[in-house]
Amino acid sequence: MLNAVKREIPDYIEGYGEVRHFKGAYASLDNRKKVGVNGRTVKPSNKLQPGDSKMVQSIEEILEKVNFHDGMTVSFHHHLRNGDYVLNMVMKVIHDKGFKDIHLAATGVFACHEPIVEYIKDGTITCVSCNYMSPGPVAKAITQGYLKKPAVFRSHGGRPRAVESGDLHVDVAFIAAPSCDEYGNVNGTHGKSACGVLSYIYPDAYYADHVVAVTDNLVPFPNCPIEITQDLVDYVYVVDSIGDPNGIVSGTTRVTTDPIGLKIANSAAQLLDEAGYIEDGMSFQTGAGGTSLAVAAGVRERMIKKGVVGSFGAGGVTAYIVQMLEEGLFRAIFDVQDFDLRSVASAGTNPKHMAMSGSLYGNPHSCGPVVNKLSIMILGATEVDVDFNVNVVTGSDGTIMGASGGHNDTAAGSKISIVVSNLLKGRLCLVRDRVTTVTSPGETIDVLVTDRGIAINPRRTDLLEKLKDSKLPIMTIEELKKIGEKLAGIPDPVEYTDHIVGVVEYRDGTVIDVVYEPKK
Amino acid sequence: MLNAVKREIPDYIEGYGEVRHFKGAYASLDNRKKVGVNGRTVKPSNKLQPGDSKMVQSIEEILEKVNFHDGMTVSFHHHLRNGDYVLNMVMKVIHDKGFKDIHLAATGVFACHEPIVEYIKDGTITCVSCNYMSPGPVAKAITQGYLKKPAVFRSHGGRPRAVESGDLHVDVAFIAAPSCDEYGNVNGTHGKSACGVLSYIYPDAYYADHVVAVTDNLVPFPNCPIEITQDLVDYVYVVDSIGDPNGIVSGTTRVTTDPIGLKIANSAAQLLDEAGYIEDGMSFQTGAGGTSLAVAAGVRERMIKKGVVGSFGAGGVTAYIVQMLEEGLFRAIFDVQDFDLRSVASAGTNPKHMAMSGSLYGNPHSCGPVVNKLSIMILGATEVDVDFNVNVVTGSDGTIMGASGGHNDTAAGSKISIVVSNLLKGRLCLVRDRVTTVTSPGETIDVLVTDRGIAINPRRTDLLEKLKDSKLPIMTIEELKKIGEKLAGIPDPVEYTDHIVGVVEYRDGTVIDVVYEPKK
């Protein structure tokens, strides 16, 4: 069937199942049920004998306790990013014990997870689902068709939606726990492997059949503060190290010094100002990239100049947003992950810097996620098409190199979503007739700001009207495309096999696109 | 059937249903399912039109939006205690609109809720369930048989268990919100009606079909800190006042100055010391009464003298426990409600003073509530029997005057539970052959400390051994009973009709006892 972003999607995908077709960003927002949970009971002391202990001595012991078997789904979270040891540690044992047909439901997959390529190739892992997949060996192996079932790419809000609705049933959730006590109270902001808040795994902690905290920092009871509480955690496993500090957080994240990046950022900030979005109560989210942070810098300047106090900064938090909170430019931060040391410290100490679950962040089937209250969202893109559809899943050669993360959640929820990018990316024009893979539908993308010009989604007649006298280089997206193509030429189309290697779910659980294996 | 505390309980109770019989405090701790939730979707702006608003103008409007009808269950929480306006406000409209057969599922019912006596008598309300019912007009009316179905008395842990298991399905939860924003982020620690944490209603916020925040303090988005998040709240209703500050919190809670109370408290503290419970890592909970606080004072002295650092204080928090936290005698507080101004302030500002949901506090069907980690619990009682069963539901004349609250949760979870009381209560001997109503089973009560002597549960051979050389006035409970009866005489037995006016559920959902209507 041709879906609402003009993609031909089969009704049934082998290894994925029945397809719910994408009908528009706001078309599947009816009431939904949250599924029941297989609760577990940990027994107290009866005064005479001790109560159940949660401490386990090995991953083997955990697998035995949960009656691990072929076909199970295990989940992990990616707050340790490219420094994570936990996923590899657990999957190695699962592999070595000979289990097969495992669904790896990680919130994110990084280059450091290279060892699982072998497990994909030998059938230990036959399905991978995630919200983010960094470029690297796993992404490459999946692109090349080694995974038996299609990978499923969700958004940061879509995954909790899937967990809560029962679409994604997790058998065993493994929580990388930078700080934990022997009864399973967990936080991510303290300890030698502190990584910040652990938001993406909160739903798994609630809904998984079994929950295991893996920690390298066992603290006296009670661990404090607590992000994931003891009443949800079955087992605590202590290891020497859960991650490599060098891979976990950047020491610092910095505003770009590249003049092109600064130009783009300044245009975006100026547009926001002219369009009236720099106002009391405004909220703001941006990524951790240098250009995105430069937009934050531009917004900050204008907030100070106007004496504006915003409501909240959200994210993916960086030192820059923390600074804006501390300067009083925002009343609060809503946080799902922390990118640098200052953010980690702030998340662990400042009560105005609030962790939010992945569900609170972006789950569309709730009484309103935080993205619904976002006024300004600054986004990236690998491709944008003339319908303003954005691709952040694949490169133009069809190689998997990302996933939505919060892209389509924030694009849908924000009052104004702006994609900032160089018009040329990897010697290709960013703007295409048709993006390789749709991640965020064009109806949720309002503006594209590039170094060569700015395009406003024609759907936003209000914005076009407000900016009609602007000196900003506003043009149509077709004009932008022409400029880019003139500079970079039009690439030859990539050819694909008919093997579906990835299914891209929109945040509401409908399929917005699929990824085919490129021909060799 | 004769249950494990020797109470003859029918297998079926009209208006309550099938009875699951009490089989022992630790006998029903198998794994249980948490029920699904009827999720609701609040729509975001689609960029062109505004998103759903949660603001409503009247209770009538709320009732209309939730399609209110006869037979529904509405829930309330009691953190505003005897100052609460919200329950009466809502029930008046439900009554005036002519709805019938309503189940009032309040976490607590107080004297201030007198107006609902009329609604009980006219059939508006046909069932009441609660964790606490203060002596007063509602308790009296229920004792006298005016409520059509038996009232159901649960514990603070048993109620969340019931909500999560589906035993107690709430149609509409009304949250009295001392601080709230227009998208439903709620806290209880700020605002003119600040009452402290709102823990008991957290499960309802998650599991109810509809959730309404009623506030007298609408703050700019986002309210911060957040106890109940926007993704769970459907509607926000602003009123002039949610409660009478004089009834909400005591200005101060104080250690008793009564010499008898001090004597009891000192005996309890001394016993704890001699039995080895004043040790590093210890945790402690007590009530807000003067004698209980005097035990805290005695424990504090001994902790300081020994240089002991405890893990946590829990409760029902008072200034005294806050002081112990601030002095470094505990590493943290786990809090379900705040009894005085200092506790409210601490709960709102000190990150070591942590709110816990009612479920995290005491739900036995979880991966371990906080009560499982409690070492010392100081309890009250209206009656204790020779099997150490405790009654806190009824007076000796059969009048309802309480409910478990956290009594049977903490008694079951703690390493040592001590009932402190004058041996004579209201001119009657506290110790009876048989308590009027069993709230907490004797196997969970370790010690009874009175002004006339101390009885240790013979089950605790370890305690008896440890204290065999103590100079404390330790005797059998039968001996204590004799002393009391010598002083007070043996009262005539109260006669009862066969009308069951209350069902007392143990924390695991089994029926531990029933309350009969006394003969006039």
Side-chain angles (χ1 to χ4, degrees):
Chain A
M1 194 188 119
L2 204 67
N3 71 14
V5 284
K6 302 181 211 156
R7 299 283 151 152
E8 185 62 46
I9 310 288
D11 293 333
Y12 181 89
I13 297 171
E14 194 61 41
Y16 173 82
E18 298 288 339
V19 167
R20 287 170 293 193
H21 292 286
F22 175 72
K23 291 177 178 159
Y26 307 101
S28 300
L29 295 177
D30 45 325
N31 294 337
R32 300 297 173 92
K33 284 197 184 268
K34 295 180 189 172
V35 78
V37 180
N38 294 317
R40 296 84 63 201
T41 294
V42 169
K43 295 184 184 64
S45 164
N46 68 354
K47 315 268 183 181
L48 304 176
Q49 281 132 5
D52 293 344
S53 165
K54 298 187 179 183
M55 301 297 292
V56 293
Q57 302 308 317
S58 66
I59 294 167
E60 286 81 355
E61 185 185 346
I62 297 163
L63 298 182
E64 206 163 294
K65 279 178 184 284
V66 305
N67 190 23
F68 202 81
H69 57 74
D70 292 353
M72 270 191 163
T73 298
V74 291
S75 83
F76 300 88
H77 62 109
H78 70 278
H79 295 92
L80 299 177
R81 282 168 285 268
N82 204 33
D84 174 47
Y85 290 164
V86 174
L87 190 153
N88 292 344
M89 187 189 300
V90 173
M91 292 313 301
K92 181 177 189 315
V93 179
I94 288 173
H95 167 264
D96 291 353
K97 301 282 271 184
F99 293 109
K100 296 286 173 193
D101 197 21
I102 301 306
H103 174 181
L104 172 64
T107 64
V109 175
F110 282 73
C112 66
H113 298 129
E114 177 163 16
I116 69 170
V117 170
E118 180 193 340
Y119 315 151
I120 286 173
K121 288 183 177 171
D122 73 7
T124 306
I125 297 169
T126 52
C127 183
V128 172
S129 60
C130 63
N131 319 346
Y132 181 71
M133 182 171 282
S134 78
V138 181
K140 199 171 147 199
I142 292 174
T143 305
Q144 291 171 341
Y146 288 108
L147 188 66
K148 189 176 167 195
K149 300 173 190 171
V152 181
F153 299 106
R154 295 193 173 91
S155 71
H156 286 331
R159 185 179 188 279
R161 181 211 57 74
V163 169
E164 294 183 2
S165 69
D167 288 352
L168 173 57
H169 177 80
V170 175
D171 293 299
V172 195
F174 291 90
I175 300 174
S179 187
C180 186
D181 62 41
E182 44 92 14
Y183 220 49
N185 294 297
V186 170
N187 77 53
T189 49
H190 292 68
K192 64 178 178 179
S193 302
C195 60
V197 299
L198 307 178
S199 306
Y200 301 134
I201 203 71
Y202 296 178
D204 300 53
Y206 201 86
Y207 281 91
D209 282 354
H210 306 279
V211 177
V212 182
V214 182
T215 190
D216 55 7
N217 180 37
L218 192 72
V219 301
F221 186 92
N223 187 28
C224 172
I226 303 175
E227 286 189 68
I228 294 164
T229 51
Q230 62 184 45
D231 53 331
L232 305 175
V233 176
D234 301 72
Y235 305 113
V236 176
Y237 176 46
V238 179
V239 296
D240 289 340
S241 176
I242 59 171
D244 171 6
N246 293 319
I248 295 174
V249 283
S250 312
T252 53
T253 44
R254 283 213 181 83
V255 171
T256 189
T257 51
D258 166 50
I260 294 179
L262 285 173
K263 182 184 172 190
I264 295 167
N266 192 55
S267 294
Q270 183 60 25
L271 182 143
L272 286 167
D273 198 355
E274 291 182 21
Y277 287 94
I278 311 292
E279 58 176 351
D280 275 330
M282 62 175 276
S283 54
F284 181 76
Q285 182 174 339
T286 184
T291 304
S292 296
L293 289 179
V295 182
V299 165
R300 172 176 168 268
E301 265 171 43
R302 286 163 176 83
M303 288 175 81
I304 292 171
K305 201 168 158 191
K306 291 190 152 183
V308 155
V309 176
S311 55
F312 67 93
V317 174
T318 56
Y320 211 84
I321 300 296
V322 169
Q323 183 188 330
M324 290 173 79
L325 174 70
E326 291 173 357
E327 290 174 335
L329 295 177
F330 295 119
R331 285 191 293 271
I333 285 176
F334 281 111
D335 188 359
V336 279
Q337 65 176 319
D338 295 285
F339 287 113
D340 52 34
L341 293 173
R342 186 168 175 190
S343 307
V344 173
S346 171
T349 54
N350 187 343
K352 291 181 178 174
H353 185 147
M354 302 185 285
M356 60 178 162
S357 75
S359 190
L360 175 57
Y361 176 34
N363 181 353
H365 293 144
S366 80
C367 290
V370 166
V371 297
N372 286 12
K373 298 301 283 182
L374 196 55
S375 35
I376 302 169
M377 181 66 209
I378 307 300
L379 294 162
T382 59
E383 298 172 333
V384 181
D385 71 22
V386 291
D387 294 327
F388 283 83
N389 296 314
V390 172
N391 173 20
V392 292
V393 169
T394 49
S396 296
D397 64 351
T399 304
I400 293 161
M401 49 173 295
S404 171
H407 203 290
N408 65 34
D409 300 307
T410 53
S414 57
K415 287 203 182 75
I416 183 166
S417 63
I418 301 184
V419 172
V420 292
S421 176
N422 289 19
L423 184 57
L424 300 193
K425 281 209 121 176
R427 298 191 188 171
L428 296 175
C429 177
L430 177 80
V431 184
R432 330 266 294 183
D433 276 328
R434 197 180 147 84
V435 290
T436 305
T437 314
V438 182
T439 315
S440 295
E443 67 178 306
T444 66
I445 305 295
D446 300 307
V447 185
L448 168 61
V449 175
T450 75
D451 49 327
R452 306 279 175 165
I454 295 172
I456 294 174
N457 191 327
R459 189 170 171 265
R460 291 300 301 267
T461 47
D462 58 324
L463 269 182
L464 287 163
E465 175 63 25
K466 274 182 190 160
L467 293 165
K468 65 174 187 235
D469 298 323
S470 173
K471 288 182 182 140
L472 289 165
I474 295 168
M475 57 190 75
T476 67
I477 196 156
E478 288 81 5
E479 286 168 334
L480 256 187
K481 177 166 162 277
K482 259 186 213 159
I483 293 171
E485 286 179 348
K486 203 168 168 187
L487 291 162
I490 300 176
D492 291 334
V494 177
E495 287 190 89
Y496 293 91
T497 70
D498 61 0
H499 179 201
I500 294 175
V501 295
V503 174
V504 183
E505 280 190 7
Y506 190 60
R507 59 198 297 251
D508 59 13
T510 60
V511 174
I512 192 165
D513 209 344
V514 293
V515 179
Y516 288 97
E517 182 186 340
K519 281 191 181 162
K520 302 232 158 51
Chain B
M1 194 186 120
L2 204 67
N3 71 13
V5 284
K6 303 180 209 159
R7 297 286 151 150
E8 186 61 46
I9 311 287
D11 294 333
Y12 181 89
I13 298 171
E14 193 61 41
Y16 173 82
E18 296 289 339
V19 167
R20 287 170 293 193
H21 291 286
F22 175 72
K23 290 176 179 162
Y26 307 101
S28 300
L29 294 178
D30 46 321
N31 295 337
R32 301 297 174 89
K33 284 196 185 269
K34 294 180 189 172
V35 78
V37 180
N38 294 318
R40 296 83 65 200
T41 294
V42 169
K43 295 184 184 65
S45 163
N46 68 354
K47 314 264 184 185
L48 305 176
Q49 279 132 3
D52 292 343
S53 164
K54 299 188 180 185
M55 302 296 291
V56 292
Q57 301 309 316
S58 67
I59 294 167
E60 287 81 356
E61 184 184 347
I62 296 163
L63 298 182
E64 204 164 296
K65 280 178 184 284
V66 304
N67 191 23
F68 201 82
H69 56 75
D70 292 354
M72 271 192 161
T73 298
V74 291
S75 83
F76 300 88
H77 62 110
H78 70 278
H79 294 92
L80 299 178
R81 282 170 283 267
N82 205 33
D84 174 48
Y85 290 164
V86 173
L87 190 153
N88 292 344
M89 186 190 299
V90 173
M91 292 312 301
K92 182 178 191 310
V93 178
I94 289 173
H95 168 263
D96 291 354
K97 301 281 271 185
F99 293 110
K100 295 290 173 190
D101 196 22
I102 301 306
H103 175 180
L104 172 65
T107 65
V109 175
F110 282 72
C112 66
H113 299 129
E114 178 163 14
I116 69 170
V117 171
E118 179 194 339
Y119 314 152
I120 286 173
K121 290 183 176 171
D122 73 8
T124 305
I125 297 170
T126 54
C127 183
V128 172
S129 61
C130 63
N131 320 347
Y132 181 71
M133 182 171 282
S134 77
V138 180
K140 200 171 148 198
I142 292 172
T143 306
Q144 291 172 340
Y146 288 108
L147 189 65
K148 188 176 169 196
K149 300 173 189 170
V152 181
F153 299 106
R154 295 194 174 91
S155 71
H156 286 331
R159 184 179 188 280
R161 182 211 57 72
V163 169
E164 293 183 3
S165 69
D167 288 352
L168 174 58
H169 177 81
V170 175
D171 293 299
V172 195
F174 291 89
I175 300 173
S179 186
C180 186
D181 62 41
E182 45 91 14
Y183 220 51
N185 294 297
V186 170
N187 76 52
T189 51
H190 292 67
K192 65 177 177 179
S193 302
C195 60
V197 300
L198 307 178
S199 306
Y200 300 134
I201 203 72
Y202 296 177
D204 300 52
Y206 201 85
Y207 281 92
D209 283 353
H210 307 278
V211 177
V212 183
V214 182
T215 191
D216 55 7
N217 179 37
L218 192 74
V219 302
F221 186 92
N223 188 26
C224 173
I226 303 175
E227 288 189 66
I228 294 164
T229 50
Q230 63 184 43
D231 53 332
L232 305 174
V233 177
D234 301 73
Y235 306 112
V236 175
Y237 175 48
V238 179
V239 297
D240 289 338
S241 175
I242 59 170
D244 172 6
N246 293 318
I248 295 175
V249 283
S250 312
T252 54
T253 45
R254 284 213 181 85
V255 172
T256 187
T257 52
D258 167 48
I260 296 178
L262 285 172
K263 184 185 171 189
I264 296 167
N266 193 54
S267 295
Q270 182 61 22
L271 182 144
L272 286 167
D273 198 355
E274 292 182 20
Y277 288 94
I278 310 293
E279 58 177 351
D280 275 330
M282 63 174 276
S283 55
F284 181 76
Q285 182 174 339
T286 185
T291 303
S292 296
L293 289 179
V295 182
V299 165
R300 171 175 169 268
E301 265 171 43
R302 287 162 177 84
M303 289 176 79
I304 292 171
K305 202 169 158 190
K306 292 190 152 182
V308 155
V309 177
S311 55
F312 67 93
V317 174
T318 57
Y320 211 84
I321 300 296
V322 169
Q323 183 188 330
M324 289 172 80
L325 174 70
E326 291 173 358
E327 289 174 336
L329 295 177
F330 295 118
R331 285 191 292 272
I333 286 175
F334 281 110
D335 188 359
V336 278
Q337 65 176 318
D338 295 285
F339 286 114
D340 51 33
L341 293 172
R342 186 168 173 189
S343 308
V344 173
S346 172
T349 54
N350 187 343
K352 293 181 175 173
H353 185 147
M354 302 185 285
M356 59 178 162
S357 77
S359 190
L360 175 57
Y361 177 36
N363 181 353
H365 293 144
S366 80
C367 289
V370 166
V371 297
N372 286 11
K373 301 299 284 180
L374 196 55
S375 36
I376 302 168
M377 182 66 208
I378 308 299
L379 294 162
T382 59
E383 298 172 333
V384 181
D385 70 24
V386 292
D387 295 326
F388 284 83
N389 296 314
V390 172
N391 173 20
V392 292
V393 169
T394 49
S396 297
D397 64 351
T399 304
I400 294 162
M401 49 174 293
S404 172
H407 203 288
N408 64 35
D409 300 305
T410 54
S414 57
K415 287 202 182 74
I416 184 167
S417 64
I418 301 184
V419 172
V420 293
S421 176
N422 290 19
L423 184 57
L424 300 193
K425 281 209 118 173
R427 300 193 186 168
L428 296 174
C429 176
L430 177 79
V431 185
R432 329 266 295 185
D433 278 325
R434 196 180 148 83
V435 290
T436 305
T437 313
V438 183
T439 315
S440 295
E443 66 177 309
T444 66
I445 305 295
D446 299 306
V447 185
L448 168 61
V449 175
T450 75
D451 49 326
R452 306 281 175 163
I454 296 173
I456 295 174
N457 191 328
R459 189 170 172 264
R460 292 299 301 268
T461 48
D462 60 323
L463 270 182
L464 287 162
E465 176 63 25
K466 273 184 190 158
L467 294 166
K468 66 177 185 226
D469 298 324
S470 172
K471 288 182 182 137
L472 289 166
I474 295 169
M475 57 192 77
T476 66
I477 197 157
E478 288 81 4
E479 287 168 330
L480 256 187
K481 176 168 163 278
K482 259 184 214 160
I483 294 171
E485 287 180 346
K486 203 167 165 187
L487 291 163
I490 301 176
D492 292 333
V494 177
E495 289 191 84
Y496 293 91
T497 70
D498 60 0
H499 178 201
I500 294 175
V501 295
V503 173
V504 183
E505 280 190 7
Y506 190 59
R507 59 198 297 251
D508 59 14
T510 61
V511 174
I512 193 165
D513 210 343
V514 294
V515 179
Y516 289 96
E517 181 185 341
K519 281 191 180 162
K520 301 236 159 49

